[in-house]
Each structure stands twice: as C-alpha cells, then as structure tokens.
Amino acid sequence: MPSIQLTDYKPIVGHHTLEELYLLAERLKGKRVKMVNSTAIGGGVAEILHQLVPLLNDLGIQTQWEVIKGGEDFFVVTKKIHNGLHGESVSITEKMKEAFLEVSRENLEYTDLNQDIMVIHDPQPIIYIEGKNRTSAKWVWRCHIDISNPDQGVWDFLKGYVEQYDASLFSSPRFSKGLSIPQFLFFPSIDPLSDKNRELEPEFINQVLDRFQIPRDKPLITQISRFDRLKDPVGVIKAYRLVKRYFDCQLVLAGGGASDDPEGEIVLDEVRAEAKGDPDIHILLLPPTSSLEINALQRASTLILQKSIREGFGLTVSEALWKKKPVIGSAVGGIPAQIIPHFTGALVYSIEGTAYQIRYLLSHPDVAKKLGEYGHEYVKEEFLITRKLRRYLLLFHVLSHPGERIIHL
Ligand code: UDP
C-alpha cells in the first residue's frame, strides 16, 4: 500500500481539522523525536506507531521508531512486569531485575539520543531514562496499560524510573497515579485508512469468511484479541454457551500472538479445551499480517465483544464502532471511555451480563443498529488518528516551550 499522507484524511475529517494540524506543526518543524517500544508487530502499541510515525514525519517532525531488543529471558520478565502493572500478584526476583536492567542498558548503548523528545512506550524500555544525562532531550513515558491497581512491588520498582521523566501519558483518568511529574490524558486512536479499518468490498469479506470456513447462516459474534487470559477468551465461550440455549449463533475468537508475549500458546490450548470441538466456535490463529482479515471479520459480524478482565484501552472497541458494529465490552480500562451505555454500546461486568446483552441485542436489531451508528460518530469525534496527532503536537509544544500555556490537550 502506498504510504498515507495527511491530506488523504480530508474527506473523512474535513479541511479545518487538517489546517489546525499544519498550524500546530509549523513551529515544531525539524524537531527530532524518537519513539521506543518493545515490538514491531502485534498488539495495540505497534498498531498505533505504524500509523503515527509516518504522519508526524509528514508534518515535518523528524520521527524515528526504535524497538528494544531482548531474548526470551528479558520478555519473560517484562511480561511479569506487565501483568503486575495490570494488577496480578507477581514476584520479581533480584536476578530478574538484573536481567531487565542489563538488556535495557545494552540497548541504550547503541541508541542515538541526539533528539529533542524521547517518547518511551510502556514498561519494557522504561530504563532508557538512564540515558537522560547524555542528551538535552525531553523525556516522556507513554503508559498504555491500566495501572490503576498494580502489584505494589512492581510499581515501587518502576516508580523511581517514571519520576525521572519530564511527563507521563495515560489512556484513562482512572490510570493516573500520585506522581511528581506532569500527567496527561492521551486516548489512543485508530486509523480509518489503514487496512484494519478501511472500507472493504462485500466480495472480499465473503472470500475471507469462505477461507476460514465460517458460514453466513447464523448471527456471528466475534472477539478479536491476542490469546491472553486478560482478554478472557474462556469467559467469552462461557457467555456464548449461555446464549446458545436460546439463539442459534456462532462465535469467532480470532487473534495471534505478539513477539513480546510468551504465554499465548498456553492460553490458546485452554481456549481449545473449553470449546470442546463445537463446530460453531471458530478459533482462528492469525498471522501478524492479518489486518484485512480482521477488518473483514469485524465487518461480517453481527456483534463484537471485548470481554477483557483488564485492558489498557482496547483499540478493538473503536475499530468495531468505526464499522458501525454494536459492541459489548467489559467496564475495564479504557473501554468505558469508548462505550457510553445505551448510546455507543453495552458495558458488562460478568459472563452472565455478557450473555444477557448478547441476547438483548440479537433480539433487538434496531437498537443494535443505532448503537453502531452513534458509536461511529463518537469514534470520529474522539478516537481517530488525526485527534491523536493534535494531542502529540500540543504536548511537543508544551515540552519545547515550557513558558507558554496551552490549556486543552
Ligand atoms: N490485533 C491484531 N492481530 C491479532 C489480535 C489483535 O492485529 O491477532 C490488533 C487489533 O485489531 C487491535 C490491536 O491488535 O488493533 C489490539 O489492541 P488492543 O488495544 O485491543 O489490545 P492489546 O493487544 O494492545 O492489549
């Protein structure tokens, strides 16, 4: 696909939105920004960076993207830290901490810190802040994780590093912490022109369903997620079973792994065991290059679920709403920021609640349709990539010109 330019968004967001972005970028032209995360493929952060980095460059801000490199040992520790931040009780030994620090420091040695702004995503590369005294760059920690109730030991370990940053960004007001540095609310976003979200021909959608051997004779309920216990795929199957007593429907659980997530295969086995060979449950293990397939599955679905137990933001919710699909999501993480009950979707708190909402929306297609339509408008207003660009530009202004006041990010 040819690279996307900002002007391509004009038919979707309008002329004024783009003019504002050009204006904000004017005084930042030539600034050097480096984004660092832990995976180039898989999961929401990689998804966001693939869109954001080229568009910032298009606006004249020289933006690079670096991925921290580490072996399995490193990612086992970072996964523990990730789960601990999400609230799981974990124990990180001194040996693990050493491995974590050692890999980060090795990476840092080869990193060009001759930048104006360093944006470090999530905990995996958080130790990069140790390079702060080698550069005049401003440092931002972008946290995509729900850290409202973290394991105390993990948070105590990280907090000392977080507070060395110049600013921190969180996806929901509920994730903010008592910190000595400024905190900004940054909703993630989706790209309406990416393969994941652009319009598709009905023939292509049908081909994808044929390829996955999914018949179109019954309502299709879908959850797209990495196979991760925090996405509760087993709970989704249990909710489907409760619905299945009353409605003949089928379930799609589709997802792949991420290179920074070593637990995926174990969870996939648990999901297969729970499905017990039910021919109406389609468990699809998707390779990382499946954006068009995910798009087609979302568009072909009657209802979309995101029944996470913990969630950072839950980009899949905005992706589905953009496609005008009714979405049922757990009231965790950033999902309530996207789903306004009775308006842009349904929020749920349990397996039974999920089953109830599925039954309700399957039997009230007019209500389901309205939720999808309002959801689309809401995403257009709040969660498109152009909105996020605006937030980053304003943040870069705040960091580059600290004396000036900008009130609304
Ligand atoms: N996704 C994907 N392949 C998969 C599963 C998910 O490309 O097998 C995408 C999904 O469409 C969404 C992102 O990865 O864009 C997941 O982001 P989300 O915030 O929902 O969850 P995360 O994986 O970051 O916890």
Side-chain angles (χ1 to χ4, degrees):
M1 199 169 71
S3 83
I4 286 175
Q5 295 178 329
L6 207 52
T7 45
D8 298 333
Y9 294 86
K10 199 161 143 187
I12 298 171
V13 297
H15 171 74
H16 292 298
T17 301
L18 296 197
E19 281 306 302
E20 187 185 29
L21 294 178
Y22 289 125
L23 198 67
L24 285 170
E26 197 55 43
R27 280 177 65 198
L28 296 167
K29 276 215 163 58
K31 292 251 180 246
R32 286 151 309 166
V33 173
K34 181 171 278 188
M35 304 261 171
V36 185
N37 82 322
S38 64
T39 176
I41 304 165
V45 181
E47 183 81 15
I48 289 164
L49 291 177
H50 274 293
Q51 310 148 4
L52 186 66
V53 170
L55 290 174
L56 283 170
N57 279 299
D58 192 20
L59 280 163
I61 294 149
Q62 295 174 32
T63 311
Q64 296 172 354
W65 174 9
E66 182 172 310
V67 176
I68 188 169
K69 293 177 198 72
E72 206 188 320
D73 285 359
F74 176 72
F75 287 119
V76 166
V77 181
T78 60
K79 183 70 187 178
K80 265 189 185 282
I81 291 177
H82 179 94
N83 289 347
L85 287 178
H86 267 299
E88 201 177 291
S89 165
V90 294
S91 109
I92 313 250
T93 62
E94 285 308 310
K95 205 163 161 249
M96 288 173 172
K97 282 183 195 168
E98 270 168 39
F100 179 59
L101 292 170
E102 194 179 297
V103 172
S104 307
R105 286 170 186 160
E106 269 167 28
N107 275 267
L108 190 56
E109 224 170 282
Y110 298 102
T111 299
D112 175 10
L113 296 180
N114 185 22
Q115 313 290 332
D116 295 297
I117 295 167
M118 295 286 299
V119 184
I120 307 298
H121 293 260
D122 280 342
Q124 297 91 339
I126 200 166
I127 303 299
Y128 271 53
I129 192 64
E130 288 190 345
K132 195 175 184 185
N133 56 9
R134 280 171 39 200
T135 165
S136 59
K138 298 286 182 191
W139 289 72
V140 179
W141 186 52
R142 169 62 170 116
C143 179
H144 297 268
I145 300 172
D146 174 354
I147 58 164
S148 48
N149 189 24
D151 175 275
Q152 201 54 43
V154 170
W155 179 240
D156 289 345
F157 170 56
L158 292 185
K159 189 178 173 194
Y161 294 102
V162 173
E163 291 195 323
Q164 294 175 46
Y165 283 77
D166 296 297
S168 54
L169 316 179
F170 294 98
S171 299
S172 160
R174 299 195 291 174
F175 304 168
S176 65
K177 310 292 297 171
L179 289 174
S180 59
I181 58 168
Q183 302 176 55
F184 296 95
L185 173 62
F186 256 57
F187 286 132
S189 64
I190 62 159
D191 183 349
L193 298 179
S194 65
D195 283 347
K196 185 72 62 66
N197 297 306
R198 67 183 165 89
E199 295 282 343
L200 295 176
E201 296 295 331
E203 295 76 37
F204 177 79
I205 298 174
N206 284 331
Q207 274 170 23
V208 171
L209 290 194
D210 289 348
R211 198 167 359 127
F212 289 132
Q213 300 179 338
I214 303 171
R216 301 208 76 167
D217 56 351
K218 315 173 185 174
L220 193 62
I221 301 159
T222 299
Q223 175 161 296
I224 307 280
S225 277
R226 291 176 295 103
F227 287 98
D228 181 326
R229 287 192 195 102
L230 296 177
K231 308 288 183 183
D232 201 15
V234 168
V236 168
I237 295 178
K238 288 181 174 157
Y240 152 86
R241 286 238 163 78
L242 292 175
V243 174
K244 186 83 168 168
R245 294 186 203 156
Y246 306 93
F247 273 97
D248 194 13
C249 56
Q250 45 185 347
L251 177 67
V252 169
L253 284 168
S259 58
D260 61 349
D261 180 3
E263 283 171 6
E265 282 189 24
I266 304 166
V267 178
L268 186 58
D269 286 344
E270 291 169 6
V271 171
R272 288 193 174 123
E274 183 66 34
K276 300 184 184 100
D278 181 337
D280 282 333
I281 301 180
H282 307 275
I283 299 167
L284 311 179
L285 186 58
L286 302 176
T289 49
S290 302
S291 294
L292 283 169
E293 285 76 7
I294 290 173
N295 187 344
L297 288 169
Q298 287 168 330
R299 287 184 189 277
S301 299
T302 319
L303 287 178
I304 299 282
L305 301 186
Q306 192 55 57
K307 208 211 146 298
S308 306
I309 292 167
R310 292 264 171 182
E311 191 56 78
F313 183 69
L315 274 177
T316 46
V317 171
S318 277
E319 287 167 7
L321 292 176
W322 181 247
K323 294 163 187 115
K324 301 189 178 169
K325 293 295 163 182
V327 180
I328 298 170
S330 302
V332 295
I335 294 178
Q338 301 168 80
I339 295 183
I340 304 170
H342 312 295
F343 183 57
T344 68
L347 282 181
V348 289
Y349 301 82
S350 63
I351 289 170
E352 291 74 18
T354 306
Y356 172 82
Q357 291 293 351
I358 297 172
R359 284 179 60 193
Y360 178 78
L361 290 176
L362 287 181
S363 53
H364 294 82
D366 47 337
V367 177
K369 186 164 180 274
K370 276 269 169 273
L371 292 180
E373 284 168 359
Y374 289 143
H376 173 84
E377 290 307 316
Y378 192 50
V379 170
K380 187 169 170 181
E381 195 60 37
E382 289 291 342
F383 306 119
L384 290 189
I385 179 96
T386 39
R387 180 77 183 188
K388 197 215 320 279
L389 275 171
R390 182 177 182 275
R391 289 194 178 103
Y392 266 110
L393 294 174
L394 287 169
L395 174 75
F396 294 164
H397 269 286
V398 170
L399 293 172
S400 309
H401 310 105
E404 293 177 19
R405 291 192 63 199
I406 296 175
I407 311 290
H408 181 64
L409 289 196

